[in-house]
Amino acid sequence: MPRSRPSPRDLLMRSMLKHKAGIAKHRMMNVKRQSDVDDLPTLEERLKVILDLLNKKERQSSNMIFFVMYDIASNKVRRAVVKYLQRRGCHRVQRSIFLADVKPEVCSVIQHDLAAVQAMYDNKDSIFIVPLSIDYVKSMKVIGENIDFDLILKTKSTMFF
């Protein structure tokens, strides 16, 4: 029998249990910074996710587009947040930046759960949730990689006479 998939609320529940057990009060867990994103998709794959989101014909107008950005020192907490955001429908854009296109209620749940987890640990971490409009996402620029984001978005026009 296959294992059931954990619910997205597991992050909050596990963190509450750790907090009640006193694990979070005494020390930061595994604070050493190391790359825990070996499975990070290529830039082209990440841009394709953004483009698919923008060009989706059946996109619900009531949905919210927003970035979730974080600076979390603990590898264990960071991995749990990454898995939680992915289960909630967020797409990884950078190592610590996710893009989501979900209902406002889901955004509120994400915000509440991340705030609760943040409050449980004695840390100096930060999490930003930044709402966006489609126009802002379309005007986004990518700097650093050899890729022309304007060309992919088809925002540059060429006229031949």
Side-chain angles (χ1 to χ4, degrees):
M1 176 193 258
R3 283 176 44 169
S4 64
R5 203 172 173 171
S7 74
R9 301 279 304 197
D10 282 350
L11 170 67
L12 184 58
M13 297 308 290
R14 284 193 321 255
S15 298
M16 285 177 148
L17 291 172
K18 288 177 187 175
H19 183 67
K20 285 180 183 177
I23 294 172
K25 290 180 183 175
H26 300 293
R27 60 183 167 76
M28 288 293 294
M29 294 179 275
N30 196 11
V31 175
K32 186 174 83 172
R33 288 268 185 184
Q34 64 186 29
S35 176
D36 62 333
V37 289
D38 297 331
D39 60 338
L40 186 66
T42 65
L43 178 62
E44 287 81 7
E45 293 168 335
R46 290 179 276 154
L47 288 174
K48 183 179 179 335
V49 168
I50 295 171
L51 292 174
D52 290 346
L53 184 135
L54 293 175
N55 298 327
K56 199 186 312 181
K57 289 185 172 120
E58 67 278 352
R59 185 178 175 276
Q60 295 182 8
S61 61
S62 63
N63 278 9
M64 272 183 77
I65 296 178
F66 59 93
F67 277 127
V68 177
M69 300 174 272
Y70 57 82
D71 184 14
I72 299 174
S74 167
N75 289 337
K76 196 169 193 173
V77 174
R78 188 172 52 250
R79 274 190 223 103
V81 168
V82 167
K83 289 178 183 176
Y84 171 79
L85 290 171
Q86 288 172 334
R87 284 192 307 264
R88 281 288 179 185
C90 300
H91 303 282
R92 196 172 216 157
V93 177
Q94 292 286 335
R95 291 178 186 235
S96 61
I97 302 174
F98 282 79
L99 181 67
D101 179 21
V102 296
K103 296 185 181 312
E105 302 83 41
V106 176
C107 180
S108 295
V109 169
I110 290 172
Q111 182 177 352
H112 174 268
D113 289 351
L114 292 178
V117 169
Q118 170 70 16
M120 285 181 210
Y121 296 97
D122 183 25
N123 60 49
K124 294 182 179 166
D125 297 342
S126 58
I127 301 172
F128 295 93
I129 297 177
V130 182
L132 299 167
S133 72
I134 288 282
D135 293 335
Y136 285 135
V137 178
K138 284 184 177 180
S139 66
M140 181 172 60
K141 304 289 183 216
V142 176
I143 300 170
E145 286 285 332
N146 187 17
I147 192 161
D148 190 349
F149 196 64
D150 289 328
L151 187 62
I152 293 170
L153 282 175
K154 297 179 177 80
T155 56
K156 289 185 179 178
S157 300
T158 305
M159 293 183 80
F160 295 98
F161 294 98

